[in-house]
C-alpha cells in the first residue's frame, strides 16, 4: 500500500512541511528536561524549555499558512478545485495535532517543575491557542511567517500583561507590603 493510498496529498504535504518544526520543538523540550535533570548548577532547564515551547508553538502555527507564502504556492493552492474550508481544515487539523502533542509533552515537563496546577495551565494553553488561531491569521494578514510569529507572540505577551495589570489595579492583588 502506497503513501498516497493512506494519506491524501494535501495532508502529506502539510505533515511534511510542519514535521521539522515539530521535531525541533520536541527535541528542544526533551533537551531542556534532560539538562535540568543532569546539571543543576547551570542555567535552569525550565526557562529554556518554556522558551522552546512558546517559540515552537508559534512557529508551527505561523508556518502552517506561511509555507504557502514562502514557497509562493498560494495561488496554485487556491486555484485547485477544492473548497477553501477543506484546505484550511487540513491545515488546522495537522497543526492542531502537532500543537496538542507538543502541549502534552510540555505539560508533563512543567508538572515536574511547577507544582501548582493554577500556575501551569495558562503557560501551557496560551501558546497553543495563539499557535492555532492567532499565528495563522496574523501570517495571512502580514503575508510573512516571521511577522505572524512575532506579532502573535507580542499579542500573547500583551494579553498576559493586561491580565496582570487588571488583577493588580482592579482587584488589589499584589498590593505592596507597607
Amino acid at each position: 500500500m502506497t503513501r498516497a493510498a493512506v494519506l491524501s496529498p494535501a495532508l502529506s504535504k502539510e505533515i511534511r512541511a510542519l514535521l521539522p518544526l515539530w521535531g525541533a520543538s520536541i527535541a528542544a523540550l526533551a533537551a531542556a528536561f534532560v539538562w535540568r535533570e543532569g546539571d543543576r548548577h547551570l542555567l535552569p532547564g525550565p526557562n529554556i524549555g518554556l522558551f522552546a515551547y512558546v517559540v515552537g508553538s508559534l512557529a508551527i502555527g505561523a508556518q502552517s499558512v506561511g509555507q504557502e507564502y514562502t514557497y509562493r504556492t498560494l495561488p496554485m493552492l487556491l486555484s485547485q478545485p477544492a473548497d477553501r474550508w477543506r484546505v484550511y481544515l487540513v491545515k488546522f487539523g495537522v497543526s492542531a495535532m502537532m500543537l496538542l502533542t507538543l502541549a502534552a509533552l510540555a505539560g508533563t515537563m512543567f508538572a515536574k517543575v511547577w507544582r501548582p496546577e493554577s500556575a501551569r495551565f495558562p503557560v501551557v494553553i496560551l501558546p497553543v491557542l495563539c499557535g492555532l488561531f492567532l499565528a495563522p491569521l496574523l501570517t495571512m494578514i502580514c503575508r510573512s511567517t516571521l511577522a505572524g510569529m512575532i506579532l502573535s507572540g507580542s499579542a500573547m505577551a500583551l494579553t498576559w500583561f493586561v491580565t496582570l495589570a487588571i488583577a493588580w489595579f482592579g482587584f488589589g492583588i499584589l498590593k505592596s507590603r507597607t
Side-chain angles (χ1 to χ4, degrees):
M1 189 174 252
T2 64
R3 184 179 64 178
V6 176
L7 298 175
S8 71
L11 186 64
S12 74
K13 178 185 79 92
E14 287 300 317
I15 292 171
R16 193 175 57 237
L18 297 179
L19 198 60
L21 289 172
W22 179 76
S25 300
I26 294 285
L29 272 175
F33 182 70
V34 169
W35 187 14
R36 183 185 185 284
E37 292 295 321
D39 217 352
R40 300 212 184 257
H41 68 279
L42 294 174
L43 287 174
N47 295 338
I48 295 170
L50 178 65
F51 179 75
Y53 172 63
V54 170
V55 169
S57 297
L58 296 177
I60 288 172
Q63 186 68 16
S64 67
V65 174
Q67 67 172 337
E68 307 300 337
Y69 291 112
T70 302
Y71 298 115
R72 303 185 196 287
T73 57
L74 186 64
M76 190 175 8
L77 178 72
L78 295 178
S79 68
Q80 297 297 320
D83 293 331
R84 291 188 180 179
W85 64 269
R86 286 187 185 179
V87 171
Y88 185 71
L89 190 64
V90 167
K91 289 180 174 297
F92 181 80
V94 170
S95 61
M97 282 292 119
M98 290 187 177
L99 286 174
L100 289 176
T101 56
L102 189 63
L105 180 66
T108 56
M109 183 188 126
F110 297 151
K112 292 191 174 257
V113 178
W114 293 324
R115 292 294 175 205
E117 178 70 30
S118 61
R120 188 175 59 227
F121 183 71
V123 172
V124 172
I125 200 68
L126 198 57
V128 170
L129 292 176
C130 284
L132 276 179
F133 300 109
L134 196 58
L137 174 70
L138 291 174
T139 301
M140 283 189 275
I141 290 172
C142 297
R143 295 183 182 159
S144 168
T145 306
L146 184 61
M149 248 179 77
I150 290 173
L151 287 176
S152 59
S154 300
M156 182 174 59
L158 181 67
T159 303
W160 187 270
F161 289 136
V162 166
T163 305
L164 288 178
I166 289 171
W168 191 357
F169 295 118
F171 298 111
I173 303 171
L174 306 175
K175 290 242 183 199
S176 64
R177 297 179 203 171
T178 56

